[in-house]
Every structure is written in structure tokens, then in C-alpha cells.
Amino acid sequence: MSKVYLLGAGPGDPGLLTLRARDILARADVVVYDYLANKAFLDFCRPDAEILYVGKKGGDHTLPQDKINDLLVEKAKAGKMVARLKGGDPYVFGRGGEEAEELVAAGCPFEVVPGVTSAVAAPAYAGIPITHRSFCSSVSFITGHEDPTKSESSLNWEAFAASGSTLVFFMGVKNLPHITENLMRAGMDGATPAALVRWGTTCHHKSLVATVATISEEAARQGFAPPSLFVVGGVVSLHDTLSWYEKRPLLGKGVVVTRSREQASDLVRLLAEEGACCYEFPTIEIAPLADADPVREAIGRLYNYDWVVFTSVNGVKCFFDEVATMELDARVFAGIRLAAIGPATAAELARHGLRADFVPERFVAESVVEGLLALGVAKGRVLIPRARQARELLPEKLTEAGADVTVLPVYDTRSVDQDPDEIIEAIKAGTIHYLTFASSSTVKNFFARISPEIVKAAGTVKTACIGPITAATLAEYGFTPDVTAAAYTVPALAEAIIADAKGKS
């Protein structure tokens, strides 16, 4: 249906995007967006959606406002469902009202989906409630972008200074001396608590607390720059007591995740919850087989096997893709015992209604062999669905013990031709703190694109890996892992990185 939705993207934390906004992004034909604090919002868009950047950032407009208005009208009249995605809330210094007026004048239906405004969220993440019974009962949102060269200010500084309200200035860093001078000239006590919150709610979040009289000098000393909010009032004194977000151990730490895009989400989520800035740099991808007939043939004669041993989540998923293609279900495993190399693989089996009969205590092939032999597998027939290219230790050891082993490739892993420039620049700039590796293939493919010497020259990048096999591959490139997971799982890897950041490794 032809309609324009003015969506608030919130201040940057993807978790603060509303469910309504996410639903509309997932259905929209066209997405028109400004500069966003987090481009992760665009991941919710349809793969075939038309994505148009109109770039509004600190006065640098890729497309002037009148042209943006024309674009929205044009797309709506072409019968498109249009999502106009704006940082924060569309109606809080977002010019959403102007766009809505243009749509009404053109006869285009529209809806507004409010977003979480940074004026509320950024101070909250910094431990500053913008209202509090002990300090104030009102709050004012003010543009800090007023031209300081104007002969007369359009703002009522006397009213602000005398109100006792919390004052929240948007876009105020550039004109901070002008703002503080006007407040004090209007009668505000220079000792009034004041704070700057930069990149509020994002992994780059940072705050600075001072007073109205001293904050300009302190901001210059600490290099505070846009985008920052300026907050004034007694509530700022609660910062040290109520601060919570800035206590996250990985806040501001850059972490490169090299797992395939299909597998990266769990590690990214665990790290981001502790404040990390995650750089997804998949070095491998999971690809379906060009010919799946051998898999379907194996499914058709599963009754021939005593054990099926799954060595990865991907193996389970790809195997069951073919089970579903054959219009079958978990009942094909009737009478067959199942092994999973780790808890994540066992959990994936459980999602298909199957419980693994064996999960080793240590999640490597050596432990799987030991455990299966203890269960008498040496006298049985074993099917191992796995990647086409994988370690041969498991099938070799089981065969040596007397088992009748069939290795069944169910997917391919391929290197990803990903542009490394962003990662290289971030490493050189000192904003990457950890490289994570979950397998030998991720190590090899990462260093095929980024020279080990670049990482070594930076001197600030730590390597984190799962398991001794991955560690041994790192050693081939001259690295001893700085962080090693206690267990061979993604949660354990995340825990190890967090412990290292806390200085508890």
C-alpha cells in the first residue's frame, strides 16, 4: 500500500528501535535514511528494497531538505511503501514535521512512528535521569545550533536560567562557550552541574561531568566533539551514583569477529552486550553443495547406521535442509544413536526434536573419539555429516578402532572475498583491540587478506581463539593467543575476552 512512514531510529543502540519501526522496515519497498548512529538498522530491510541515503550530518547534506521532501512524494505517488528513517525521534529536532506537511500538501498518506530520543536515552545511559523529585519537575529540549554571530538570540536565556528545569541542548558542542556564557549572563550559577554525553547509547558512548563555568574548557581539553548532548541541572550530580553503561568492560573496545556471517550473531551479541564495537569480517561462508543427491541417498538409507555423529551446527542445519526437501522429519532417525561435538550442536539437534545420546566433555574430535569408543561404537556403522573440507582425525581414529565409517559432505566452506580496508584502517588507528578466531580456517583466510605484519606493527591488538588447533594455526603466523577460551564454545570465548578486558585473565 502506498504510504510514507516517518520512523524514529532511536539514538544508536539497535535494541532501542521500536518493534513497529522494525516491522515497517521489513516490509518497505523504499527506505530513505539520514546519517545513522548505527547502520545495523538497515539489516532489517528487505533484500530487494531500494535503499537511498540522503545524508544529513552536522550541516553536510547530501540532499537538501526540499529535495528529500520531493523524493518522498515521488516514491509515494509511484505506489511505493516508503520508510523514512531518521535518527532519534522524527519530531524532536528531526524536521519530521516539515516532511509530514509536504506529504499532506501532496495528498500522500503518512504515519509517524516515534523513536527514542537521544535527549532521554543518552543521559539515562550516562546515569543522569532528566527528571528527579529531588532536583526538578520539568525538562527543556533546546537546539544548541543557534548561530553565535547573530546580533540577538532567539532563545529566552533568562527563562532557562531561572526555571530550575533540566536543560538538554542538542548539537551544542560547537557552540558550548556561547551557551554557557549566555546561561551565566542570564543569572545561572556557574557551579551548576553540567555534562556532555557523546555518542550516547552506542559502543563509543562517553560522558564528561563538570560545571557550567568549567565544562567548555574541560571539553576542549578532552577533545569532546559532535555528536554530543549538553545536559545542565542538578540531576547531573547523580552521574557517578547511577552510571551503569560506562561500567561495561568492553565499552569502546573494537573486536573483529571472523566467523561466517551465519554463525557470527551469537558472538556479536555476547560481546555487544558488554559494550564492544563489533566489526564483522567473515572470512568464510557456508555454501550449499552443488549436488545434494548423495545426502538425500544417505537420508534414504539411514537405517543402515548405528550412529550419526554431527560435528557442527552447520552440519545439522544442512542435513535437515535436505530432510525437509524430501518431506521427511526427525523420524528418519528412529533407532539410531546421535552424537554432537558440542552443546551448540546438541542444541541445534534439539530444535529438530532430537536429543543427542552423547556430547563430550571437551568439544574436540579427540574427546569425541574417546567417548564414542567407550560407548562401543567400534563395532558399529557410523555416518559423519560434515563440511567437505574438515579435519580427518575423527573418521581416521574411529576407523582404526574398527568402526565402519562413512564421511558425508553436507556443505562447503568457502573463503569470502571481503574488502579489508575498513579493518586495516581501524587496526592502524588503534581502534581494534581483539581479533577473534573460532577455527583454523578463519585464521588462514583472515591473514590471506590482512598481513600479520600490519597487526604486529599496531602493537595494541590481542588475539583470542577457541581450542589448541586454532592456537596452533595462529602460531604459524607468529602469534601466541593472548586470550584462549576455557571451553571450546562461543560463550566461553566471549567470557574469556571479557575477563581479559577486566584484567582477570
Side-chain angles (χ1 to χ4, degrees):
M1 182 175 64
S2 173
K3 183 179 284 189
V4 177
Y5 295 85
L6 304 178
L7 306 181
D13 183 341
L16 298 182
L17 184 73
T18 66
L19 294 175
R20 175 68 171 154
R22 187 176 68 178
D23 174 64
I24 291 167
L25 284 176
R27 294 187 289 119
D29 302 306
V30 181
V31 178
V32 179
Y33 74 101
D34 289 343
Y35 171 79
L36 298 171
N38 196 323
K39 286 189 177 180
F41 301 122
L42 300 179
D43 292 341
F44 298 121
C45 300
R46 276 171 30 196
D48 62 337
E50 184 180 7
I51 311 293
L52 301 172
Y53 174 59
V54 294
K56 297 172 65 179
K57 177 186 176 184
D60 178 16
H61 292 193
T62 298
L63 203 64
Q65 185 63 51
D66 61 332
K67 299 298 183 184
I68 295 174
N69 298 340
D70 293 343
L71 177 64
L72 297 178
V73 171
E74 173 194 335
K75 295 298 182 181
K77 288 192 171 181
K80 304 292 186 179
M81 177 180 176
V82 183
R84 171 69 172 112
L85 189 62
K86 306 168 74 68
D89 180 274
Y91 279 4
V92 180
F93 298 118
R95 303 189 73 171
E98 298 171 43
E99 293 176 0
E101 288 180 301
E102 291 293 332
L103 292 168
V104 170
C108 300
F110 78 97
E111 290 185 18
V112 178
V113 179
V116 178
T117 174
S118 59
V120 173
Y125 275 49
I128 302 171
I130 57 174
T131 64
H132 191 287
R133 292 180 65 181
S134 299
F135 296 97
C136 65
S137 55
S138 61
V139 60
S140 297
F141 296 164
I142 310 157
T143 179
H145 205 52
E146 192 177 41
D147 186 352
T149 64
K150 290 194 306 185
S151 59
E152 187 173 340
S153 174
S154 59
L155 299 177
N156 190 337
W157 295 103
E158 287 74 17
F160 293 149
S163 68
S165 296
T166 300
L167 308 179
V168 182
F169 291 85
F170 287 71
M171 303 167 290
V173 175
K174 184 178 179 181
N175 292 334
L176 194 57
H178 170 73
I179 294 169
T180 54
E181 287 169 11
N182 276 321
L183 288 172
M184 289 187 288
R185 189 179 298 119
M188 179 173 283
D189 186 345
T192 302
L196 286 169
V197 185
R198 185 168 190 260
W199 285 114
T201 81
T202 74
C203 65
H204 300 293
H205 173 108
K206 184 179 179 182
S207 66
L208 162 65
V209 173
T211 66
V212 170
T214 63
I215 197 161
S216 292
E217 181 180 346
E218 191 62 26
R221 188 180 70 82
Q222 294 194 26
F224 256 71
S228 298
L229 282 176
F230 179 40
V231 187
V232 178
V235 290
V236 173
S237 63
L238 295 171
H239 170 277
D240 292 349
T241 302
L242 301 183
S243 177
W244 58 275
Y245 189 66
E246 290 167 39
K247 295 178 180 177
R248 295 189 172 190
L250 294 178
L251 186 62
K253 301 289 187 183
V255 184
V256 176
V257 177
T258 58
R259 301 191 89 199
S260 67
R261 204 169 296 280
E262 298 90 345
Q263 295 176 300
S265 58
D266 284 348
L267 183 56
V268 169
R269 175 181 56 80
L270 291 168
L271 296 173
E273 284 177 354
E274 297 300 330
C277 300
C278 292
Y279 295 75
E280 290 193 50
F281 188 71
T283 58
I284 59 173
E285 65 179 359
I286 307 304
L289 298 175
D291 179 10
D293 286 345
V295 181
R296 294 169 191 162
E297 290 171 7
I299 292 169
R301 57 175 190 274
L302 271 182
Y303 54 82
N304 284 331
Y305 297 98
D306 302 295
W307 282 89
V308 177
V309 180
F310 287 99
T311 60
S312 70
V313 171
N314 290 320
V316 178
K317 289 180 176 178
C318 293
F319 192 87
F320 270 91
D321 284 346
E322 298 307 322
V323 170
T325 298
M326 297 173 68
E327 298 184 348
L328 299 172
D329 57 29
R331 285 173 290 185
V332 298
F333 288 93
I336 301 169
R337 304 184 75 182
L338 300 173
I341 200 168
T345 305
E348 186 62 29
L349 281 172
R351 277 190 276 274
H352 294 280
L354 295 168
R355 182 174 181 175
D357 297 282
F358 171 67
V359 182
E361 292 183 5
R362 295 175 64 247
F363 314 128
V364 290
E366 292 84 348
S367 292
V368 176
V369 171
E370 182 181 341
L372 287 174
L373 292 178
L375 293 170
V377 76
K379 298 178 182 179
R381 292 160 297 181
V382 181
L383 179 68
I384 306 178
R386 64 172 206 181
R388 187 181 301 280
Q389 294 181 329
R391 292 181 72 205
E392 298 300 332
L393 180 66
L394 178 59
E396 287 177 355
K397 291 296 183 182
L398 290 178
T399 300
E400 288 174 8
D404 181 1
V405 178
T406 300
V407 172
L408 177 68
V410 294
Y411 65 93
D412 281 318
T413 55
R414 297 190 302 229
S415 61
V416 178
D417 188 17
Q418 177 123 336
D419 186 348
D421 288 350
E422 179 188 16
I423 303 299
I424 291 172
E425 289 173 10
I427 289 172
K428 291 180 177 178
T431 56
I432 299 292
H433 301 86
Y434 295 94
L435 302 176
T436 65
F437 300 102
S439 67
S440 291
S441 60
T442 59
V443 176
K444 293 174 181 177
N445 289 318
F446 180 84
F447 288 118
R449 284 161 181 75
I450 297 177
S451 168
E453 301 312 313
I454 292 175
V455 178
K456 293 173 185 176
T460 56
V461 183
K462 292 184 175 183
T463 55
C465 74
I466 291 177
I469 307 302
T470 307
T473 307
L474 267 172
E476 295 174 11
Y477 295 89
F479 294 92
T480 299
D482 301 284
V483 180
T484 304
Y488 308 147
T489 66
V490 165
L493 179 59
E495 289 173 8
I497 293 169
I498 292 165
D500 183 78
K502 290 180 177 178
K504 296 180 180 179
S505 59

